[in-house]
Amino acid sequence: MSARIATWWTILRICLEERLVYRGDFALGTLMRFLPIVTQIFLWYAIFEARGSSALAGYSYEEFVAYYLLTMVSRAFSSMPGLASGITRQIRDGEIKKYLIQPVDMLGFLFLSRFAHKIAYYSVAIGPFALVFFLCRGYFHNLPAEAATHSPATAAAFAASLVMSFVLGFYLEASLGLIGFWWLEVSSLLFVYMLFNFFLSGHMFPLDMLPQPWRAIFDAIPLKYLAYYPAAVFLGKVKHADLAIDLCVQFAWVVFFIGLSRFMFQRGLKRYSGFGG
Amino acid sequence: MEGMQYLRVFLTFARNSLIRDMTFRANFILESIASLCWMLGNLGFYALIFTHTPYIGRDSGWGQYEFFVFLSTTMFVNSLVQTFFMANVDEFSELIRTGGLDFALLKPIDTQFVISLRKIDWSSLVNFFAGAGLLVISLHKLSVRPDNPLHVSPTMVALYFIYMLCGVAILYSLMIGLSATSIWLGRNQTLYDFWFYITNFSRYPMEIYSGTWGRPLRWVFTFAVPVLVVVNVPARILAQPLRPNSSLSFSLAAFAIVATVASLLGSRWIFNRALLSYRSASS
């Protein structure tokens, strides 16, 4: 056991050091990523102005802006740039042979390296994030009593949903990448996934805005846990019993995708013929 | 006569790109569908917004179909930029890094011309046609509405296309100007991202930038980096010809011409200056 922990620790440390090489580019890039939110803030201000500033889908203007800022946080946890395409490339080029001949589990190794990547990312990104949230602190003043700013229980649920969104995001993308065992080229599939992720995860707008039956459909698929759900929890939009149920559903999705990716990996290895490399 | 030769070279580029695209036909169709889906997702998002509000901005006149005219203008401009310039300019910094630019410099033809138009991405043109469809539908809806119907005159259409091309020219100048700086900087991935984020400001009517923070932003993105006039001026000509403050629109339209000429000349100057500092990499 201690040997295994030592292995994990080494993997984690190597990946951390690798990541921190480009920290200047990192920090600038993170700050840039907030720029589209500036236009969103102005857009929604104009919309609320035209409506006579009544609440929209249960959100006040301030809550709208807070929502967008919070989805940036959830996406900082759940987004896995290059994970699926990396896995497919490794399968195609035969690079995954290195996991097969070494006593290292591929999914575990990738998970740890993502974990290290995220830690490195947060340690740099916390600066730009803190700056933006500080500048926008006014939008968080009038939140209801259920919001994470007032209720420790909501704050805990928010933290739990964020951690799970990381794990869910990882195993969901890993499952997509493992399709590479069956199809050699999955880039068009990944584009479709990105498209769905962009519009259905709540990255563009709070899903509460949708009319039925769309609302029910969007609720049933796991993508909402990648952006919408943690933000909605923070703002106190998910109440009492629903909160507990939804967290359990999120957990169930996490377990499902862990199981699915393990299963796909096992089955894929049987087909794998190790070209190239 | 020289113009004719450039036209012939351009047509050769266009034909070669089309041949290449048609070689991988399934990929071409997939790419077309992908950019169409992206557009439909955006359209759905705005349709959703207009189920919650009659206008974007109080008294701005940007109702649903006025905004859809705006949106189709965005699609025209973006698809033209993507079809003709995006892939080429994207590759430009790569050419600098690898030293491949040598081959472009050796050709007995204007370097900026070769660099900018070498490859034409025909699949991006699908959004141009989708935009045309959306434009026709929106204009029809606007011209048959009972109160204050819109009359589209041939002059308006002509002006619309001229200003749309001005918009394309402004965006192209920004792109080529930014990527030419990679001769000095080596690698400019963040700079290229920066271009992407700046054009983000061109996507909405300029009225939304108001108030203490909005006004300076509007000023910067109109006069310093003229991305706001790219879509706003043509879209306004078609969608809002009868706005009360038409004198403002007139001066804005005059300014758009100045901005186009200035951007083209400015980017040409930057491009040539940057070439002077080019030291070929190993090739």
Side-chain angles (χ1 to χ4, degrees):
Chain A
M1 192 63 205
S2 74
R4 176 169 285 190
I5 289 175
T7 316
W8 286 355
W9 175 242
T10 312
I11 293 172
L12 203 65
R13 228 187 42 228
I14 292 171
C15 295
L16 253 172
E17 277 162 13
E18 205 175 74
R19 280 289 151 191
L20 285 173
V21 173
Y22 301 106
R23 50 187 171 266
D25 201 48
F26 243 22
L28 196 63
T30 316
L31 209 54
M32 290 292 181
R33 236 159 269 161
F34 282 101
L35 271 181
I37 288 203
V38 174
T39 46
Q40 293 289 347
I41 290 178
F42 281 107
L43 175 71
W44 289 103
Y45 186 78
I47 290 168
F48 272 89
E49 202 184 40
R51 285 168 51 88
S53 64
S54 58
L56 196 164
Y59 287 72
S60 68
Y61 167 66
E62 285 77 16
E63 284 177 326
F64 238 100
V65 177
Y67 175 84
Y68 275 112
L69 293 170
L70 288 166
T71 54
M72 291 296 287
V73 177
S74 26
R75 289 193 41 95
F77 277 81
S78 69
S79 77
M80 303 283 153
L83 176 65
S85 53
I87 292 178
T88 335
R89 189 177 41 76
Q90 292 194 336
I91 293 172
R92 197 178 45 218
D93 298 351
E95 210 183 311
I96 70 159
K97 279 203 284 278
K98 77 176 178 208
Y99 300 107
L100 304 181
I101 53 177
Q102 287 166 8
V104 178
D105 165 51
M106 176 173 169
L107 287 172
F109 176 82
L110 288 177
F111 187 81
L112 277 178
S113 74
R114 275 292 146 162
F115 185 65
H117 171 174
K118 289 290 180 191
I119 300 271
Y121 175 74
Y122 301 141
S123 65
V124 179
I126 191 134
F129 266 90
L131 177 70
V132 171
F133 274 81
F134 176 74
L135 290 176
C136 298
R137 64 192 179 284
Y139 296 111
F140 290 87
H141 279 167
N142 293 318
L143 294 181
E146 295 93 357
T149 42
H150 300 291
S151 146
T154 313
F158 173 65
S161 67
L162 273 185
V163 171
M164 284 198 282
S165 78
F166 166 70
V167 185
L168 181 64
F170 177 83
Y171 282 102
L172 208 164
E173 279 231 2
S175 307
L176 278 171
L178 289 171
I179 294 178
F181 276 120
W182 288 268
W183 304 354
L184 280 182
E185 187 53 65
V186 293
S187 60
S188 47
L189 186 81
L190 291 183
F191 183 84
V192 172
Y193 168 72
M194 192 194 76
L195 199 74
F196 274 91
N197 194 350
F198 195 72
F199 290 107
L200 311 190
S201 68
H203 179 52
M204 285 283 276
F205 56 88
L207 299 180
D208 308 86
M209 275 178 75
L210 287 164
Q212 293 294 359
W214 298 105
R215 186 68 233 275
I217 296 171
F218 281 43
D219 250 343
I221 47 182
L223 288 175
K224 73 163 182 176
Y225 294 106
L226 300 182
Y228 163 77
Y229 185 68
V233 167
F234 186 98
L235 294 174
K237 297 289 172 197
V238 194
K239 304 219 167 72
H240 316 300
D242 279 352
L243 185 59
I245 294 171
D246 276 357
L247 280 176
C248 290
V249 174
Q250 187 180 11
F251 185 71
W253 278 116
V254 170
V255 172
F256 171 77
F257 279 106
I258 292 178
L260 181 68
S261 58
R262 288 276 161 206
F263 175 73
M264 288 175 72
F265 188 63
Q266 297 296 322
R267 295 303 295 263
L269 278 188
K270 294 219 171 78
R271 288 179 51 95
Y272 179 63
S273 37
F275 292 113
Chain B
M1 268 310 94
E2 208 183 342
M4 278 308 287
Q5 278 171 1
Y6 276 89
L7 183 69
R8 265 183 36 216
V9 174
F10 171 71
L11 289 177
T12 314
F13 285 154
R15 213 190 54 213
N16 286 346
S17 310
L18 192 63
I19 290 171
R20 187 171 42 216
D21 276 347
M22 286 302 117
T23 318
F24 306 102
R25 216 163 300 172
N27 183 59
F28 177 79
I29 291 169
L30 271 179
E31 271 176 16
S32 305
I33 293 176
S35 49
L36 207 59
C37 286
W38 188 253
M39 190 291 273
L40 283 176
N42 266 310
L43 192 62
F45 171 59
Y46 295 119
L48 179 67
I49 284 182
F50 281 106
T51 63
H52 289 275
T53 181
Y55 293 104
I56 289 182
R58 197 193 313 153
D59 299 326
S60 68
W62 291 109
Q64 176 161 15
Y65 290 105
E66 284 93 346
F67 184 74
F68 280 1
V69 170
F70 189 95
L71 189 63
S72 47
T73 314
T74 312
M75 286 161 63
F76 283 148
V77 173
N78 283 351
S79 69
L80 287 178
V81 169
Q82 279 165 17
T83 305
F84 293 104
F85 305 117
M86 191 82 112
N88 297 309
V89 175
D90 196 20
E91 213 176 283
F92 181 39
S93 21
E94 194 60 20
L95 286 180
I96 294 164
R97 207 177 57 77
T98 57
L101 187 60
D102 299 3
F103 299 103
L105 289 171
L106 287 173
K107 303 253 167 21
I109 195 166
D110 185 71
T111 310
Q112 191 179 352
F113 174 81
V114 189
I115 291 296
S116 309
L117 285 166
R118 213 154 45 127
K119 203 149 86 189
I120 287 160
D121 177 15
W122 288 103
S123 65
S124 295
L125 215 53
V126 67
N127 270 357
F128 186 87
F129 295 107
L134 182 64
L135 182 70
V136 169
I137 294 171
S138 313
L139 286 179
H140 176 72
K141 290 272 186 191
L142 286 175
S143 57
V144 297
R145 66 180 169 191
D147 53 321
N148 192 13
L150 180 81
H151 298 289
V152 180
S153 68
T155 329
M156 277 159 68
V157 176
L159 279 176
Y160 176 77
F161 279 102
I162 290 171
Y163 277 107
M164 195 180 75
L165 293 179
C166 285
V168 173
I170 291 174
L171 283 190
Y172 160 71
S173 309
L174 278 176
M175 269 167 82
I176 195 85
L178 270 182
S179 70
T181 57
S182 57
I183 286 184
W184 292 306
L185 301 177
R187 173 174 169 270
N188 72 337
Q189 195 51 51
T190 326
L191 214 62
Y192 193 72
D193 285 350
F194 189 61
W195 176 81
F196 184 76
Y197 290 130
I198 276 187
T199 53
N200 196 43
F201 284 93
S202 73
R203 294 217 313 247
Y204 298 112
M206 59 202 298
E207 283 91 343
I208 71 168
Y209 302 106
S210 61
T212 1
W213 290 97
R215 232 184 295 274
L217 263 183
R218 193 202 292 201
W219 195 90
V220 166
F221 288 116
T222 306
F223 297 108
V225 187
V227 286
L228 268 181
V229 301
V230 167
V231 182
N232 270 279
V233 174
R236 200 169 295 260
I237 287 171
L238 267 195
Q240 311 215 339
L242 299 169
R243 293 296 295 167
N245 53 356
S246 57
S247 63
L248 178 78
S249 296
F250 180 76
S251 55
L252 190 67
F255 171 74
I257 297 288
V258 176
T260 310
V261 174
S263 323
L264 282 175
L265 291 177
S267 63
R268 174 95 187 155
W269 184 77
I270 292 176
F271 186 87
N272 285 332
R273 280 308 299 264
L275 279 192
L276 289 181
S277 315
Y278 174 65
R279 291 163 300 162
S280 175
S282 63
S283 44

